[in-house]
Amino acid sequence: MRHPSGKVSFGGLVLLLLVAGVVYLGVMLAPVYVDNFDVKEAATIAFNRIQQGLDDDGIRALILERTGRVGNHWERDQFDRDILVPGLGLTEEQIHIERSGVTAHVRIQVDYSRRVRLKPSNMVRTVNFHVVKEGIPGQ
């Protein structure tokens, strides 16, 4: 990294900037990926409750209830400003449930996206998530 004269080499500077960029992205994006683990957990809990007689509406309600307490998301208010709101903001339309007519196979799929504001520039990036839990409940 250092030349014999004590100067920092160009390659060392590029490496340092690259490491700083990775740390910055990790700090900015880590919360949305951690929240995705909570969505996976909610889908798994709903999937496991199917054998207790939970219907499709109950599955959706359970996932919405559990993800309503996780993280936060951006919404537009009546003045067309972005505001930060608690919860992930999932809707029933984002939760897809498929049941096999032949076997007891069930597939729960949650598709959603999160907007991440990259500070200090205020650039906004969208991260898309696709959570699937499928199989035969109880096995």
Side-chain angles (χ1 to χ4, degrees):
M1 279 235 205
R2 288 185 152 241
H3 287 288
S5 65
K7 297 179 183 176
V8 176
S9 69
F10 179 72
L13 182 62
V14 169
L15 180 63
L16 185 62
L17 289 175
L18 184 66
V19 169
V22 168
V23 169
Y24 170 78
L25 285 177
V27 169
M28 290 290 110
L29 295 177
V32 296
Y33 283 98
V34 170
D35 292 344
N36 188 50
F37 287 124
D38 292 327
V39 175
K40 288 179 182 179
E41 180 185 30
T44 300
I45 290 169
F47 180 83
N48 292 336
R49 293 223 182 132
I50 290 173
Q51 60 186 4
Q52 297 173 358
L54 196 63
D55 64 348
D56 291 357
D57 291 333
I59 292 170
R60 285 186 184 93
L62 180 62
I63 292 173
L64 291 173
E65 187 262 329
R66 291 191 66 91
T67 59
R69 298 178 289 191
V70 172
N72 49 47
H73 67 283
W74 294 96
E75 286 185 0
R76 292 263 181 199
D77 67 359
Q78 67 268 24
F79 303 110
D80 203 33
R81 292 179 303 189
D82 285 336
I83 57 171
L84 196 59
V85 180
L88 294 182
L90 293 181
T91 62
E92 290 186 3
E93 293 79 28
Q94 294 171 309
I95 303 169
H96 308 283
I97 302 165
E98 298 174 11
R99 295 179 185 258
S100 172
V102 179
T103 65
H105 188 272
V106 178
R107 175 183 171 97
I108 300 173
Q109 177 176 319
V110 183
D111 294 315
Y112 68 102
S113 60
R114 298 280 304 274
R115 289 177 27 202
V116 179
R117 186 163 291 186
L118 301 175
K119 299 173 187 172
S121 67
N122 285 334
M123 288 182 11
V124 176
R125 294 289 179 231
T126 301
V127 182
N128 297 311
F129 292 99
H130 177 77
V131 175
V132 175
K133 178 66 179 172
E134 66 180 318
I136 299 174
Q139 285 189 350

